[in-house]
């Protein structure tokens, strides 16, 4: 998993090299970054999962993606073009979407009181990776990711979610698609 910004002095093209290294070792390359680093990673064709926010996807696309069909299309195009096997886009209060070769899944935001957005995207990605690593389906992984992101935003300041929080928020989603 490569998440966040590159350190000063590291060229964006390093993201493509990291992907090639992961592929050479049979590892799934997961990326959560933006700007030139995101562009370089996606150009490598080695990304298993990429998690942009809607703003980051819009920046990559070069135009606003105001409506759900445009968001779905932009994410699915990355999969179709071979830039990533899966694209999970966090949509803030509108939930999240996951594009795979089978299509696009959407999940509404989990209703919680927002106390802080610190760590929400990281928690979302952690929930998704954890679920996929267990062998869950992409739909189940999206549900776990959504629960983890919601659990994070329900905490004040930099206090992140706990497994108990995530399980509590995930429980109502079981079977709900």
């Amino acid at each position: 998993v490569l998440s966040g910004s590159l350190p000063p002095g590291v060229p964006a093209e390093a993201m493509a090299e990291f992907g090639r290294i992961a592929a050479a070792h049979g590892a799934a390359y997961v990326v959560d970054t933006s700007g030139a680093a995101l562009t370089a990673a996606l150009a490598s064709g080695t990304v298993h999962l990429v998690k942009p926010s809607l703003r980051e996807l819009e920046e990559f696309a070069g135009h606003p993606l105001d409506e759900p069909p445009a968001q779905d299309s932009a994410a699915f195009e990355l999969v179709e073009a071979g830039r990533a096997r899966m694209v999970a886009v966090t949509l803030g209060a509108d939930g999240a979407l996951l594009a795979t070769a089978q299509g696009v899944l959407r999940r509404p935001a989990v209703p919680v009181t927002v106390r802080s957005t610190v760590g929400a995207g990281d928690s979302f990605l952690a929930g998704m990776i954890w679920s996929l690593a267990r062998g869950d389906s992409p739909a189940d992984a999206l549900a776990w990711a959504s629960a983890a992101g919601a659990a994070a935003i329900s905490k004040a300041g930099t206090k992140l979610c706990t497994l108990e929080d995530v399980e509590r928020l995930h429980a109502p989603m079981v079977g709900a698609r």
Side-chain angles (χ1 to χ4, degrees), residues 110-112 115 144 147 150-152 154-155 161-173:
V110 177
V112 295
R115 292 194 169 89
W144 281 109
S154 71
K155 301 294 182 181
C161 62
T162 65
L163 179 58
E164 291 167 340
D165 295 331
V166 176
E167 288 173 334
R168 178 180 47 79
L169 292 171
H170 178 265
M173 290 189 268

Side-chain angles (χ1 to χ4, degrees), residues 97-140:
L97 69 86
L98 178 64
T100 69
Q102 287 69 48
V104 178
L105 304 168
R106 280 188 164 260
R107 180 158 289 285
V110 177
V112 295
T113 299
V114 178
R115 292 194 169 89
S116 172
T117 59
V118 173
D122 294 331
S123 296
F124 176 95
L125 184 58
M128 178 157 283
I129 292 168
W130 173 80
S131 181
L132 291 170
R134 293 182 346 154
D136 291 346
S137 71
D140 288 340

Side-chain angles (χ1 to χ4, degrees), residues 32-70:
D32 181 7
T33 191
S34 60
L38 176 61
T39 299
L42 291 173
S44 74
T46 60
V47 176
H48 180 76
L49 169 64
V50 63
K51 196 234 52 84
S53 65
L54 177 57
R55 179 189 52 78
E56 292 163 344
L57 184 61
E58 288 174 329
E59 288 173 3
F60 181 82
H63 55 85
L65 302 167
D66 297 327
E67 298 298 322

Side-chain angles (χ1 to χ4, degrees), residues 2 15-16 18-20 22-23 27-33 37-52 78-79 82-88:
L2 285 167
M15 293 298 286
F18 297 144
R20 288 188 286 275
Y29 184 38
V30 178
V31 175
D32 181 7
T33 191
L38 176 61
T39 299
L42 291 173
S44 74
T46 60
V47 176
H48 180 76
L49 169 64
V50 63
K51 196 234 52 84
L78 293 175
V79 173
R83 291 176 177 253
R85 288 188 60 218
M86 291 187 279
V87 180

